[in-house]
Amino acid sequence: MNVVVVGGGFAGVKAAIELSKRHVGKITLISDEPYFLHHATLYATATGRDMAESVIPLTTIFEHYPNVTVVNDKIEHIDPQRHILNGKNKQYHYDKAVLALGSVTTYFGINGMADHCFGIKSIEEIKNFHTHIQKALVEEKLDKEYFIVGAGPTGVELAGALCEYLCHLIKVHNLKHTKCRVTLVEAAPRILPRMSNTADEKVMIRLKKMGIKVMVNHKVQALDDKHIVIDGRKIPTTTAIWTSGVANNPFFAAQGDTFHLAKNGRVEVNHYLEAIKDVYVIGDNNTVKNSGQAWPAMHQGTFVAKHLARLATKRPPKSYFPRKFISGLPVGEDWGYVERFGIYADGKVGAWARRQVELAGYKQLLPAKQARDVWNAHNIPEIDV
Ligand SMILES: Cc1cc2nc3c(=O)[nH]c(=O)nc-3n(C[C@H](O)[C@H](O)[C@H](O)COP(=O)(O)OP(=O)(O)OC[C@H]3O[C@@H](n4cnc5c(N)ncnc54)[C@H](O)[C@@H]3O)c2cc1C
């Protein structure tokens, strides 16, 4: 069997690893970036922590799986009749294709947002953000108010980390008279909408204790290089970081005739995560319950590998059942919140538990010793910009 996996993120990498372990035949992993991005720690990398915990070269992961060929290319089109994936550089034939392209940012058409906001979804965005902070430090022009738009887990954990980072910079650079505040803006009536009410309550208390201003039920209407407009009020700032709004990868909408898309743009799949004959769509790209998070993406990657191994050995297929995984977030270095099945831990215990979940995640992708090294990169002292 010739399996081509597209996408070097959580779902694609996990699928390729599990296919490799099962020796299903020829396995090719195609990704448009040469590295795997560990999104859950990008908030830390964006606020001075070591890059190593967030960026892992695909060659490092697959040096342990020599039967996987890693190719750096961008897939632009699929021809399901001919079983061909058209890349920017060349064409790839497949018997089975696994598409795991992840999601992209959307700005909901907010005036000026795409041009003026910062992001933390890619290395380039993080570098831009660092350069911006560095320039402001050198010129002693830190903003009075730093805005984070979107109070999902990414926005909240970034708020905690940014608050501590700014305090650290002010102290290290002896900017005694500089006062800045982090403000979290959310259009919905509460923070962490996909988590429990307890999460909302506990994390709100923590944010307030850290001095972070939280504005729920407030809509950002516009952004330029000097101001943000929230509910008609123009507030001076040069820094707004967008952590809201994700949309499905445009690859699928561009081939709306091939794929069946739900209202939210994600791809409909059957019980085996198959979207069309011999093409599986996994991770953030499909409509399966709990998709949109890292652990479900890896779970689906494993499922598809097992499924294809069953087909290769002519065993009857089994259906996919979504699983709910532990969810949580850090808010500052020594505080975290985790929950599963109505049980939660917060504070130092929550921070410890969240770190353990991260370590378990790295172990899904790397041998134990290497996983621990990457995980420990979080403790490398902060780089002073
Ligand atoms: C900032 C941030 C923080 C997050 N924090 C958490 C968290 O704490 N916990 C959690 O569970 N989830 C978190 N998530 C969500 C989680 O990262 C995603 O659900 C997960 O990455 C989905 O995995 P995936 O494989 O579907 O997509 P991705 O991991 O995004 O991988 C997609 C891959 O496809 C490649 N690609 C895209 N298009 C093409 C193409 N045309 N051709 C070839 N390759 C292509 C990309 O380069 C990438 O390697 C976070 C997301 C972000 C952005």
Side-chain angles (χ1 to χ4, degrees):
M1 190 185 280
N2 171 18
V3 186
V4 178
V5 180
V6 187
F10 283 91
V13 167
K14 188 64 181 157
I17 288 174
E18 295 300 325
L19 283 162
S20 165
K21 287 181 189 165
R22 287 168 177 80
H23 301 281
V24 294
K26 187 175 171 220
I27 307 153
T28 309
L29 176 81
I30 304 173
S31 196
D32 59 355
E33 299 288 2
Y35 47 77
F36 164 83
L37 261 194
H38 188 262
H39 289 136
T41 49
L42 283 176
Y43 79 91
T45 306
T47 50
R49 298 273 160 181
D50 200 277
M51 196 69 107
E53 67 173 322
S54 300
V55 185
I56 309 171
L58 289 173
T59 45
T60 304
I61 297 176
F62 287 99
E63 71 189 7
H64 311 286
Y65 305 97
N67 58 343
V68 177
T69 307
V70 178
V71 177
N72 189 203
D73 198 356
K74 182 175 174 128
I75 297 301
E76 297 178 323
H77 179 261
I78 185 167
D79 182 342
Q81 268 76 42
R82 291 168 59 222
H83 280 60
I84 297 278
L85 287 155
N86 291 301
K88 225 175 174 176
N89 302 333
K90 61 184 259 208
Q91 289 190 331
Y92 307 86
H93 176 264
Y94 65 84
D95 295 327
K96 306 281 179 188
V98 181
L99 305 183
L101 307 181
S103 40
V104 297
T105 305
T106 173
Y107 299 100
F108 304 128
I110 297 174
N111 200 357
M113 191 54 78
D115 293 332
H116 299 288
C117 77
F118 292 92
I120 61 156
K121 201 175 185 275
S122 67
I123 300 179
E124 292 70 30
E125 286 181 347
I126 284 173
K127 282 185 180 160
N128 280 345
F129 180 61
H130 266 270
T131 310
H132 172 71
I133 298 273
Q134 196 167 20
K135 197 163 167 266
L137 263 178
V138 171
E139 294 173 0
E140 295 198 18
K141 280 185 185 164
L142 284 174
D143 283 309
K144 284 203 170 65
E145 203 161 2
Y146 283 78
F147 288 88
I148 295 173
V149 189
T154 304
V156 172
E157 59 198 13
L158 180 64
L162 182 60
C163 179
E164 287 183 347
Y165 185 51
L166 291 170
C167 288
H168 167 79
L169 292 178
I170 287 169
K171 205 170 144 199
V172 166
H173 292 266
N174 208 15
L175 302 171
K176 280 182 202 145
H177 304 294
T178 306
K179 284 216 163 21
C180 40
R181 177 169 68 183
V182 174
T183 297
L184 196 51
V185 195
E186 170 59 56
R190 54 162 285 192
I191 63 165
L192 303 172
R194 284 177 72 162
M195 294 177 74
S196 67
N197 290 337
T198 314
D200 175 12
E201 281 163 29
K202 299 281 176 191
V203 172
M204 271 299 253
I205 295 169
R206 166 68 179 168
L207 290 168
K208 281 192 180 148
K209 253 192 188 159
M210 291 183 80
I212 295 164
K213 184 175 170 189
V214 183
M215 299 171 74
V216 289
N217 262 327
H218 281 79
K219 276 200 177 121
V220 174
Q221 291 160 326
L223 182 72
D224 62 25
D225 55 353
K226 292 195 183 68
H227 301 95
I228 188 167
V229 182
I230 302 173
D231 288 338
R233 230 180 97 219
K234 206 169 173 183
I235 310 165
T237 190
T238 66
T239 318
I241 309 152
W242 179 258
T243 68
S244 202
V246 284
N248 198 13
N249 194 297
F251 174 89
F252 298 99
Q255 295 185 76
D257 296 345
T258 305
F259 297 98
H260 189 246
L261 303 185
K263 264 195 186 144
N264 62 6
R266 290 192 182 184
V267 180
E268 303 275 12
V269 291
N270 66 14
H271 290 311
Y272 312 119
L273 307 183
E274 196 176 20
I276 49 175
K277 193 174 178 313
D278 297 327
V279 179
Y280 297 79
V281 174
I282 59 174
D284 280 9
N285 296 144
N286 67 28
T287 53
V288 172
K289 194 174 167 203
N290 301 332
S291 286
Q293 288 178 308
W295 278 91
M298 291 193 285
H299 191 235
Q300 293 180 19
T302 303
F303 170 84
V304 163
K306 285 183 179 169
H307 174 76
L308 294 180
R310 293 185 81 84
L311 294 189
T313 50
K314 306 216 173 339
R315 285 174 291 157
K318 288 183 178 173
S319 297
Y320 178 74
F321 288 103
R323 247 185 76 186
K324 182 132 181 71
F325 290 87
I326 193 164
S327 57
L329 68 160
V331 190
E333 256 319 287
D334 293 321
W335 198 97
Y337 179 93
V338 292
E339 66 182 16
R340 194 177 179 199
F341 302 136
I343 299 167
Y344 75 88
D346 65 348
K348 278 195 190 318
V349 179
W352 176 85
R354 158 74 195 210
R355 286 283 287 147
Q356 298 311 307
V357 173
E358 255 164 42
L359 177 59
Y362 288 124
K363 283 185 179 168
Q364 294 285 314
L365 309 171
L366 290 166
K369 156 94 179 63
Q370 243 172 319
R372 196 165 272 278
D373 287 347
V374 171
W375 183 68
N376 275 329
H378 185 81
N379 300 323
I380 294 172
E382 284 180 299
I383 306 154
D384 294 326
V385 290

